[in-house]
Amino acid sequence: WREAQEEALGQRAKMEDMQGSIVQTAALERQVAEAQRGKVRLEGELSQLLRDRSEVEERCAALLIKGNQVDQKDVAIGQLQQQVSEQSEQLDALVAELGHPALPAARVEQER
């Protein structure tokens, strides 16, 4: 009788261990499922961030191109201003050579 009782207790302990393992396995499966959902969410966020980054890089490239165009236009404006200044000086010299003092005064008045 005692052997049967010990065997029954042993079987019961094995059953309890098995039930504990089943509970632990179920808990781990839930954690794995939650981790997989989190992974999918993070992959989606990463994908969106990569798309955003690509758009920002494209905008930066476009702004650099526009900045270079502005710089080139500034240089061209500076060159044109220099040419106007030089031509104005040449014109003043010619007017002085020709002896028409009213012409430089009229041009100065126009510039104002």
Side-chain angles (χ1 to χ4, degrees):
W1 179 81
R2 199 168 261 191
E3 280 181 30
Q5 189 178 17
E6 285 178 11
E7 187 176 323
L9 287 176
Q11 289 295 329
R12 183 176 179 177
K14 286 181 185 178
M15 291 287 277
E16 287 174 356
D17 285 346
M18 189 181 281
Q19 286 177 341
S21 294
I22 290 171
V23 169
Q24 286 178 340
T25 301
L28 289 173
E29 287 173 346
R30 284 192 299 275
Q31 289 176 349
V32 166
E34 181 63 31
Q36 288 174 335
R37 285 190 295 275
K39 178 184 173 191
V40 168
R41 182 183 51 80
L42 289 174
E43 286 172 342
E45 289 177 13
L46 175 61
S47 179
Q48 182 61 48
L49 288 172
L50 290 174
R51 284 191 298 273
D52 293 348
R53 176 183 175 189
S54 179
E55 288 178 20
V56 168
E57 287 172 345
E58 288 174 14
R59 286 188 213 152
C60 286
L63 288 173
L64 285 173
I65 290 169
K66 286 181 181 180
N68 287 337
Q69 291 171 344
V70 168
D71 290 345
Q72 290 171 353
K73 288 178 181 176
D74 283 346
V75 168
I77 289 170
Q79 291 171 343
L80 289 172
Q81 287 174 334
Q82 181 64 34
Q83 288 174 359
V84 166
S85 177
E86 290 170 1
Q87 289 176 354
S88 179
E89 289 173 8
Q90 290 173 358
L91 182 60
D92 286 346
L94 283 174
V95 168
E97 239 180 77
L98 294 173
H100 290 85
L103 290 176
R107 206 169 61 74
V108 168
E109 197 59 39
Q110 279 181 340
E111 288 178 358
R112 287 184 193 165

